[in-house]
DNA sequence: ACGCATTTGTTCGTATGTATT
DNA sequence: TAATACATACGAACAAATGCG
């Protein structure tokens, strides 16, 4: 309707240059930020549909095309999933075709059977300095430590050491981890309201130390792929740090460069 | 001008449903294919600007918005680079800020000095079966094999074994590799007209064998990161297969998950 | 130093196509 | 079949960045 700058409603974006603040930002970027805020606040939950583009355009008082461009970027970042004819949905680690979205390990023969998990340990602990630094905690702050094995066809292939932000994951126990069916990240979404959005990994080759060698049933010094992962939720807030040791005898870590 | 289906010109896209062929394809996808064809044929060379959006719209007899959407996707795939106010350019491995676009190795301390290279070997050879399979060759077809070291701060860190499609890279010698300043992929572009546009990697941890150990100055059995890479040019044609062995003592392979 | 032309970037509006329920 | 939602396509106007005269 309005080709002139719209009167800002309760949910309307800021007019450019109004606040003399940070800098100019295109309308669709402002809309993107508003949608992200609603995702973060839990207004639309994982797996649910968000309002239609037309509705959002009305709500934010912009054109449908501007909303589309905002959603395009959010879909490209895997925060939203578009389904023609059905709507736009909040991405989720649960109910995904591909379980384990972040796990890049692939069997050499391509046969991807079900993955078994065994939780070895899960306890609250004070964060070591390295973990504290990664998770933006003060050294000694509370953290949750998990140690677990992943089995492919009854063989131990991955040993994970996981450190979680202590306050966000208060109340997580080995029992809840064991009982839960489905990926750990789905549990985090559903039980703790923490969604993993993206992650950074650092890969190295290392020799197995004694405990890892025993758990993965290899000789000490056996070459293992070390995968350090820092996972982020909304607002680029780091909430999980883990180190995985992968036995790559019959699996590899796949990556796409472009 | 025309809101009706335009009369197809020499370069115009096919009208939908004309050929009863494969399937429906959106206009912008057809434009994308036409632009890709021009890139492949060398009509626009790496580093050069392609015609403006308005010009392309006139050439293909579609609207500027349709061209934009085609270019958007090509830019997202790193085939083209948009520069506001200047134009849209053909991506190149040369004259890039970041040399080595595909090399994900990063020093622990973040200090990225210049990389030195030493070509150990470069010769024509018959492709072993594994290589032949990867490059879509017949076993025994001609290939170019290169063996080289990469040095970071005068220390050998990467040992590469590279296999190239024999006919595409006819005439490549150790001397040309050594003399060329800049990334190998830039040489491939400029001297052989072959542009690498994407690659798939498989990562593993392995123990150093005797030759690798000597070249990388580590003990035999020392854990190394093995990086198998298959690189593709236009049309998803594989043209390079390489296996790199990385010493990750003070470097890591970085990866982004999203 | 200034303004102008060129090129991509943003935003709007509208109409129509395709997929789903 | 109809209603709804996303997808495609067009046209128009203005903004921002760049380079040239």
């Amino acid at each position: 309707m309005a080709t002139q700058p719209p009167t800002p409603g309760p949910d309307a974006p800021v007019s450019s240059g109004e606040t003399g603040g940070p800098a100019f930002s295109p309308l669709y970027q402002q809309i993107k930020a508003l949608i992200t805020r609603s995702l973060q606040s839990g207004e639309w939950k994982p797996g649910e549909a968000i309002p239609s583009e037309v509705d959002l355009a009305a709500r934010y008082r912009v054109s449908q095309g501007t909303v589309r461009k905002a959603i395009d970027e959010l879909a490209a970042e895997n925060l939203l999933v578009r389904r023609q004819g059905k709507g736009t949905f909040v991405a989720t680690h649960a109910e995904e075709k591909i379980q384990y979205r972040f796990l890049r390990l692939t069997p050499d023969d391509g046969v991807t059977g079900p993955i078994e998990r065994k939780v070895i340990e899960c306890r609250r602990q004070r964060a070591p300095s390295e973990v504290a630094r990664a998770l933006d905690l003060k050294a000694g702050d509370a953290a949750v430590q998990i140690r677990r094995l992943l089995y492919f066809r009854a063989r131990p292939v991955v040993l994970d050491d996981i450190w979680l932000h202590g306050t966000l994951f208060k109340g997580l126990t080995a029992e809840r981890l064991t009982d839960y069916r489905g990926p750990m990240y789905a549990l985090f979404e559903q039980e703790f309201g923490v969604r993993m959005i993206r992650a950074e990994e650092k890969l190295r080759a290392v020799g197995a130390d004694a405990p890892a060698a025993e758990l993965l049933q290899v000789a000490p010094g056996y070459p293992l792929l070390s995968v350090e992962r820092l996972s982020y939720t909304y607002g680029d807030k780091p909430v999980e740090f883990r180190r995985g040791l992968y036995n790559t005898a019959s699996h590899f870590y796949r990556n796409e460069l472009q």
Side-chain angles (χ1 to χ4, degrees), chain A:
Chain A
M1 37 172 75
T3 51
Q4 302 306 318
T7 324
D11 237 349
V14 301
S15 323
S16 57
E18 197 171 75
T19 56
F24 161 79
S25 164
L27 245 191
Y28 76 91
Q29 288 284 2
Q30 299 175 41
I31 304 304
K32 188 181 164 188
L34 290 172
I35 294 174
T36 304
R37 200 216 285 163
S38 290
L39 289 171
Q40 183 169 7
S41 75
E43 180 180 348
W44 309 311
K45 298 205 163 40
E48 288 180 5
I50 70 171
S52 77
E53 293 176 355
V54 179
D55 288 352
L56 288 173
R59 167 167 168 174
Y60 299 130
R61 319 237 192 166
V62 297
S63 76
Q64 185 186 352
T66 301
V67 171
R68 268 195 77 75
K69 183 143 187 179
I71 293 180
D72 279 345
E73 292 205 350
L74 290 168
E77 295 168 20
N78 293 315
L79 296 190
L80 295 175
V81 179
R82 322 189 72 141
R83 296 199 194 111
Q84 187 174 357
K86 300 179 74 172
T88 301
F89 299 79
V90 182
T92 173
H93 287 271
E95 64 146 339
E96 279 191 82
K97 302 276 164 54
I98 304 101
Q99 295 217 323
Y100 306 101
R101 200 180 97 198
F102 283 178
L103 181 59
R104 307 287 275 264
L105 209 56
T106 306
D108 286 338
D109 55 20
V111 183
T112 59
I115 300 177
E116 293 143 76
R117 300 164 301 179
K118 187 160 107 189
V119 177
I120 299 169
E121 186 176 22
C122 175
R123 55 175 178 174
R124 284 186 84 73
Q125 230 179 333
R126 303 204 304 189
S129 64
E130 186 196 12
V131 173
R133 211 176 318 119
L135 295 185
D136 267 346
L137 298 173
K138 286 191 288 291
D141 275 3
V144 178
Q145 193 215 342
I146 301 165
R147 202 170 164 83
R148 67 151 186 193
L149 280 169
L150 295 185
Y151 293 80
F152 295 67
R153 291 196 237 174
R155 293 198 122 87
V157 175
V158 173
L159 170 60
D160 272 327
D161 254 303
I162 304 173
W163 294 84
L164 297 167
H165 195 282
T167 46
L168 286 175
F169 291 94
K170 178 170 267 182
L172 181 58
T173 62
E175 196 178 21
R176 292 177 83 176
L177 279 172
T178 307
D179 291 350
Y180 188 84
R181 301 275 142 240
M184 194 185 286
Y185 286 167
L187 182 149
F188 293 169
E189 275 179 7
Q190 292 171 1
E191 308 282 320
F192 299 92
V194 180
R195 265 159 288 172
M196 304 298 184
I197 306 292
R198 65 174 198 92
E200 293 167 358
E201 293 193 329
K202 297 182 180 180
L203 279 67
R204 294 185 147 86
V206 302
D209 61 15
E214 177 162 355
L215 287 166
L216 289 171
Q217 296 173 19
V218 297
Y222 185 88
L224 297 175
L225 182 61
S226 159
V227 181
E228 270 183 24
R229 180 193 297 172
L230 191 53
S231 307
Y232 297 83
T233 186
Y234 295 108
D236 257 347
K237 180 181 168 61
V239 289
E240 181 207 48
F241 176 77
R242 64 165 76 180
R243 174 179 285 116
L245 292 175
Y246 299 3
N247 181 346
T248 54
S250 51
H251 295 76
F252 60 88
Y253 180 108
R254 90 197 105 80
N255 198 23
E256 281 266 329
L257 307 180
Q258 38 145 240

